[in-house]
């Protein structure tokens, strides 16, 4: 089974701190994603990476950056955390576009709930 | 650009009753369509997906969904709900080979409560 592991389930940080959220997948997927989940808004895409060292902005990239130095790992970075970044963060992965019928199916981690005080 | 609407924020049903969760999408052609379920404190799990072919698709946990092109809908159904089905359900739409990297757009979710 595909496993997507997010390193921290719960974090509490202070305003202005730098925050790292780590995600690792074990299925050699090319694509990885970071979503933010807020009540009534569903999932909104922050950034995605289609390959190592490659990244593209999603719908709400402001205040975030990402790093993908290895294929299995995708990190979300909050350079200076703010209270409006209190949220649930979900990492996901999938095979690349050439992956045939499975293209488009995302596999999710269990989420990291971040509280910024 | 594609979009997806889930008109119902909360739904409550009795255990054993039938269930239908609505999903409407906006896209110029036939999209990829998905239903995911999120149990409390968990990530999202894929219930079923539609890419092409038979418009009635079967998923896990006894769920099914029907793609209706004329109504731009992909409603999720289950004939008899179990208490363990209480969760949040997300519909998602993707654009097949649009030239970009096939991002999925998610609806706002429908939270299902099940009465015993």
């Amino acid at each position: 089974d595909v496993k997507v592991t997010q390193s921290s389930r719960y974090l509490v940080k202070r305003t202005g701190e730098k925050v790292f959220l780590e995600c690792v997948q074990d299925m050699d997927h090319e694509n990885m994603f970071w979503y933010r989940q807020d009540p009534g808004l569903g999932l909104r895409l922050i950034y995605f990476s289609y390959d190592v060292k490659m990244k593209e902005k999603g719908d709400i990239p402001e205040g975030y950056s990402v790093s993908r130095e290895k294929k299995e790992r995708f990190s979300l970075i909050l350079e200076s955390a703010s209270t409006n970044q209190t949220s649930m963060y979900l990492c996901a992965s999938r095979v690349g576009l050439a992956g045939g019928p499975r293209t488009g199916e995302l596999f999710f981690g269990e989420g990291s709930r971040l509280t910024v005080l | 650009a594609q979009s997806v609407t889930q008109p119902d924020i909360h739904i409550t049903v009795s255990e054993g009753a039938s269930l239908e969760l609505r999903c409407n999408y906006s896209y110029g052609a036939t999209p990829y369509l998905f239903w995911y379920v999120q149990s409390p404190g968990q990530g999202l799990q894929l219930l079923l997906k539609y890419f092409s072919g038979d418009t009635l698709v079967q998923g896990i946990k006894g769920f099914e969904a029907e793609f209706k092109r004329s109504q731009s809908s992909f409603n999720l159904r289950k004939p008899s709900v179990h208490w363990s089905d209480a969760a949040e359900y997300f519909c998602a739409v993707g654009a097949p080979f649009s030239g970009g990297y096939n991002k999925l757009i998610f609806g706002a979710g429908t939270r299902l409560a099940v009465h015993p």
Side-chain angles (χ1 to χ4, degrees):
Chain A
D1 283 350
V2 174
K3 190 163 180 63
V4 179
T5 304
Q6 295 183 229
S7 56
S8 303
R9 293 294 304 275
Y10 301 95
L11 303 93
V12 180
K13 299 292 182 180
R14 297 205 174 275
T15 301
E17 281 193 78
K18 191 169 186 176
V19 181
F20 292 87
L21 299 180
E22 305 285 341
C23 176
V24 176
Q25 50 95 3
D26 65 359
M27 281 300 292
D28 203 35
H29 284 170
E30 289 82 6
N31 301 167
M32 296 188 74
F33 303 78
W34 276 105
Y35 284 89
R36 172 176 171 160
Q37 182 181 11
D38 299 288
L41 298 178
L43 279 70
R44 294 177 291 167
L45 183 63
I46 305 171
Y47 266 97
F48 67 103
S49 167
Y50 45 90
D51 208 339
V52 176
K53 297 188 185 294
M54 309 299 277
K55 61 186 179 185
E56 282 207 15
K57 294 180 180 179
D59 300 315
I60 52 165
E62 296 78 19
Y64 303 95
S65 62
V66 290
S67 172
R68 190 157 180 213
E69 296 297 317
K70 294 184 178 181
K71 192 174 186 180
E72 68 270 18
R73 187 180 299 271
F74 191 35
S75 302
L76 180 69
I77 303 156
L78 289 67
E79 293 288 343
S80 178
S82 63
T83 55
N84 62 13
Q85 292 178 310
T86 292
S87 187
M88 169 72 89
Y89 291 88
L90 292 168
C91 176
S93 72
R94 71 166 185 220
V95 297
L97 282 176
R102 296 181 66 80
T103 299
E105 176 182 349
L106 293 175
F107 294 87
F108 283 86
E110 292 189 325
S112 298
R113 184 167 295 282
L114 172 66
T115 301
V116 182
L117 302 175
Chain B
Q2 66 265 34
S3 65
V4 58
T5 302
Q6 294 179 245
D8 305 304
I9 299 173
H10 289 101
I11 285 183
T12 301
V13 300
S14 298
E15 191 168 17
S18 63
L19 173 70
E20 182 169 33
L21 302 183
R22 295 183 291 165
C23 173
N24 295 100
Y25 68 88
S26 174
Y27 184 63
T30 300
Y32 291 161
L33 295 160
F34 305 82
W35 275 101
Y36 284 85
V37 60
Q38 184 180 35
S39 298
Q42 302 297 313
L44 276 70
Q45 180 184 21
L46 181 70
L47 282 176
L48 47 78
K49 59 185 181 285
Y50 174 79
F51 288 167
S52 65
D54 192 346
T55 57
L56 183 65
V57 293
Q58 303 297 321
I60 62 171
K61 306 186 181 190
F63 285 92
E64 67 177 26
E66 186 171 13
F67 169 59
K68 293 185 176 180
R69 185 192 310 274
S70 61
Q71 298 177 20
S72 297
S73 68
F74 189 56
N75 294 348
L76 181 71
R77 300 194 294 248
K78 187 170 185 178
S80 178
V81 170
H82 188 263
W83 64 266
S84 60
D85 293 325
E88 189 154 23
Y89 293 80
F90 292 93
C91 182
V93 58
F97 301 104
S98 63
Y101 282 89
N102 195 4
K103 297 178 288 186
L104 289 192
I105 304 299
F106 285 82
T110 297
R111 186 168 295 278
L112 174 66
V114 180
H115 279 327

